[in-house]
Amino acid sequence: MSEFELIMVLSELSRTITEQFEFWMGATFAVVVVCYTAGQKLGRVVRGCIAFLYLVASAMFYFRYLDAVDSTVQISQALGEIGTVYVADRVELVSLARRIVMFGGSLFAMVLIFWPPFSELGRRKDGDT
């Protein structure tokens, strides 16, 4: 492949990584909002289904992300072998930050599925003064 083609593939991979991350963020936000607004109205079976589906979807997004990152590394190496001036700085730092956000966000969403929403944690029970 030519330098131009490699850079175009790298650009497409970067766009794919960003889209996958954004889709994961949307799914996580949806789970958090549902668990926050529905609160204890969700039964155990529904919570279990939400947890299972969210966990599987998060794993799928994470593995797709890892695959895209591996492909990016291979293309960057190919660009380095042909002596291109293209430089990808801070790729490892951004990748690490995304992994931390994905893991932490997924863990937070899973906790919210099984715990009452934050709005109910600070409420007083009827009759308490």
Side-chain angles (χ1 to χ4, degrees), residues 20-32:
Q20 286 292 321
F21 186 73
E22 289 172 353
F23 197 80
W24 171 83
M25 287 290 289
T28 300
F29 183 73
V31 166
V32 168

Side-chain angles (χ1 to χ4, degrees), residues 1-14 71-84 86:
M1 293 181 114
S2 70
E3 179 180 4
F4 176 76
E5 291 170 328
L6 287 171
I7 291 174
M8 291 307 294
V9 170
L10 192 60
S11 175
E12 185 63 31
L13 278 170
S14 177
S71 297
T72 301
V73 169
Q74 292 172 355
I75 291 172
S76 295
Q77 288 173 347
L79 283 169
E81 289 173 3
I82 62 173
T84 186
Y86 177 82

Side-chain angles (χ1 to χ4, degrees), residues 60-71:
M60 180 186 66
F61 293 137
Y62 186 73
F63 290 132
R64 281 184 177 174
Y65 170 75
L66 290 179
D67 186 46
V69 168
D70 288 343
S71 297

Side-chain angles (χ1 to χ4, degrees), residues 23-69:
F23 197 80
W24 171 83
M25 287 290 289
T28 300
F29 183 73
V31 166
V32 168
V33 168
V34 165
C35 291
Y36 182 79
T37 57
Q40 294 299 320
K41 296 174 188 172
L42 296 174
R44 290 178 121 179
V45 174
V46 173
R47 285 180 185 272
C49 288
I50 291 171
F52 175 75
L53 292 171
Y54 177 73
L55 189 62
V56 169
S58 290
M60 180 186 66
F61 293 137
Y62 186 73
F63 290 132
R64 281 184 177 174
Y65 170 75
L66 290 179
D67 186 46
V69 168

Side-chain angles (χ1 to χ4, degrees), residues 123-129:
R123 290 185 188 165
R124 293 183 185 176
K125 294 182 180 180
D126 291 338
D128 287 350
T129 55

Side-chain angles (χ1 to χ4, degrees), residues 111-124:
V111 167
L112 277 183
I113 290 171
F114 293 107
W115 278 12
F118 288 124
S119 64
E120 293 179 13
L121 292 177
R123 290 185 188 165
R124 293 183 185 176

